[in-house]
Amino acid sequence: MDALDILKQHNIKATIQRVKVLEYLMNCSIHPSAEDIYMHLKNELPMISLSSVYNILIEFEKNNLVNKLMTDNNTIRYDYTKCKHYHIYYSDGKIEDFEDKELDNLISEYFNKNYPNIVNDNDINVVINIKNKKDK
Amino acid sequence: MDALDILKQHNIKATIQRVKVLEYLMNCSIHPSAEDIYMHLKNELPMISLSSVYNILIEFEKNNLVNKLMTDNNTIRYDYTKCKHYHIYYSDGKIEDFEDKELDNLISEYFNKNYPNIVNDNDINVVINIKNKKDK
DNA sequence: TATTAAATTATAATCATTCTAATATAAAAA
DNA sequence: TTTTTATATTAGAATGATTATAATTTAATA
Ligand SMILES: [Mn+2]
Ligand SMILES: [Mn+2]
Ligand SMILES: [Zn+2]
Ligand SMILES: [Zn+2]
């Protein structure tokens, strides 16, 4: 399903800015910051403003179209909400998707068995931190 | 082991500021921000500066005395490095420790078996996100 | 004691994000 | 089609966490 349909489905008015932001999020794999998105879109959409990117991301987050990824260097990164997956954080800033159904099940089952009342599946995240060689 | 011994052990000069920061981190359970630490210490140590708190935290981090906890609201929280544990993030900002040996082992074994070359134990974190009732 | 280095402090700078008010665009009403 | 109203975007200011800079204090060394 393409960006336009997704916006319609969520009753979000499909402005050109929103379509472009969503398209970029759907197709890129870098887990961009708001600034990254803005920089990328300026090429094809020179009039877009950084404010709009922030506004749009807030709107998308409310509708669960994107997830915020926490980082420890004070910048929020965004991830298009597709099927459940985890993330590998590299020390150079790269964030990589990590998909593993078997691990999903393992963890789901474990929490359902041991903490059935506290947590539901989607609340649990696995974060993998890897140091790049250069960074000692 | 108390704060003073830990600093000696890591060859960090035991200034009053460093001792107090470390003691607070060791004893409190709120996973404080730099500002939280500063506010708390001002009572018993009125001359301490926020700069020092930041400097000290950087120093502690280099020596693996503390870990940074990522958050999605642009403030870094600090955690004294004790035995391996995970964290529950509540939507109201509280961060709670979550210790579970069985889960540690489960995850360790799984990664050792399936991704032995990519990851080592301590790189893997489990983050649990829970919405407080009020927050809809 | 004099000299040097290290740590702390006050303060300014940076930078990601949010807020505010103005403008533009689209939808609804007349 | 015009007028009105609501919504979205924009530019720019404000905020707030963190980092950088330079001065001062403290501790260590000669
Ligand atoms: Mn910041
Ligand atoms: Mn900030
Ligand atoms: Zn992802
Ligand atoms: Zn903790």
Side-chain angles (χ1 to χ4, degrees):
Chain A
M1 196 159 45
D2 69 348
L4 223 133
D5 293 330
I6 291 173
L7 291 176
K8 277 178 190 162
Q9 190 184 335
H10 287 258
N11 294 314
I12 302 172
K13 198 188 294 179
T15 64
I16 179 69
Q17 292 89 341
R18 286 173 175 164
V19 172
K20 290 292 183 186
V21 169
L22 185 53
E23 273 177 355
Y24 182 56
L25 283 168
M26 289 172 76
N27 296 321
C28 85
S29 62
I30 65 165
H31 303 86
S33 67
E35 181 85 22
D36 291 335
I37 297 169
Y38 172 64
M39 286 312 199
H40 176 87
L41 293 187
K42 268 207 312 195
N43 301 318
E44 24 175 355
L45 208 64
M47 75 292 299
I48 199 173
S49 73
L50 182 56
S51 294
S52 293
V53 174
Y54 275 106
N55 290 336
I56 289 168
L57 288 170
I58 289 169
E59 184 70 17
F60 284 1
E61 210 207 347
K62 283 182 191 152
N63 289 82
N64 288 314
L65 283 181
V66 298
N67 276 104
K68 286 185 180 185
L69 295 186
M70 319 175 187
T71 73
D72 63 358
N73 76 148
N74 241 22
T75 71
I76 296 169
R77 309 265 293 262
Y78 292 88
D79 193 20
Y80 174 65
T81 305
K82 52 182 182 181
C83 59
K84 181 153 186 67
H85 66 279
Y86 305 120
H87 290 104
I88 305 177
Y89 286 70
Y90 291 91
S91 54
D92 66 0
K94 195 182 350 178
I95 300 177
E96 216 172 59
D97 282 337
F98 181 86
E99 250 186 272
D100 184 324
K101 288 264 162 55
E102 207 181 327
L103 180 62
D104 295 353
N105 293 332
L106 197 72
I107 290 175
S108 286
E109 278 168 27
Y110 186 77
F111 275 93
N112 286 334
K113 187 175 54 162
N114 295 281
Y115 307 92
N117 46 338
I118 324 182
V119 203
N120 88 350
D121 266 28
N122 268 21
D123 299 331
I124 304 163
N125 256 288
V126 176
V127 175
I128 301 164
N129 286 294
I130 296 183
K131 286 206 189 70
N132 294 79
K133 300 239 171 74
K134 305 179 179 182
D135 301 349
K136 198 171 6 113
Chain B
M1 197 159 44
D2 69 348
L4 222 133
D5 293 330
I6 291 172
L7 290 175
K8 278 178 189 161
Q9 190 184 333
H10 285 259
N11 295 313
I12 302 173
K13 198 187 294 178
T15 64
I16 179 69
Q17 292 88 343
R18 284 172 175 166
V19 172
K20 290 293 183 186
V21 170
L22 186 52
E23 273 177 356
Y24 182 56
L25 283 169
M26 289 172 77
N27 296 320
C28 86
S29 63
I30 67 166
H31 302 87
S33 67
E35 181 86 22
D36 292 335
I37 297 169
Y38 172 65
M39 286 311 198
H40 176 86
L41 293 186
K42 269 206 312 195
N43 301 316
E44 24 175 356
L45 208 63
M47 76 293 297
I48 198 173
S49 74
L50 182 56
S51 294
S52 294
V53 174
Y54 274 107
N55 290 336
I56 288 168
L57 288 170
I58 289 168
E59 184 69 15
F60 284 1
E61 211 208 347
K62 282 181 191 153
N63 288 82
N64 288 314
L65 284 181
V66 299
N67 275 103
K68 287 185 180 185
L69 295 186
M70 321 174 186
T71 73
D72 63 357
N73 75 148
N74 240 23
T75 72
I76 296 170
R77 309 266 293 263
Y78 291 87
D79 193 21
Y80 174 65
T81 306
K82 52 182 181 181
C83 60
K84 181 153 187 67
H85 65 279
Y86 306 119
H87 290 103
I88 305 177
Y89 287 70
Y90 291 91
S91 55
D92 67 0
K94 195 181 354 177
I95 300 177
E96 217 173 58
D97 281 339
F98 181 87
E99 250 185 272
D100 183 326
K101 287 264 163 53
E102 205 182 327
L103 179 62
D104 294 354
N105 292 332
L106 196 72
I107 291 176
S108 285
E109 279 169 25
Y110 185 77
F111 275 92
N112 286 333
K113 188 174 53 159
N114 295 281
Y115 306 92
N117 45 340
I118 322 184
V119 203
N120 89 349
D121 266 29
N122 268 22
D123 299 331
I124 304 162
N125 256 289
V126 175
V127 175
I128 302 165
N129 287 293
I130 296 183
K131 285 205 189 70
N132 294 79
K133 300 239 171 74
K134 305 177 180 184
D135 301 348
K136 194 168 10 113

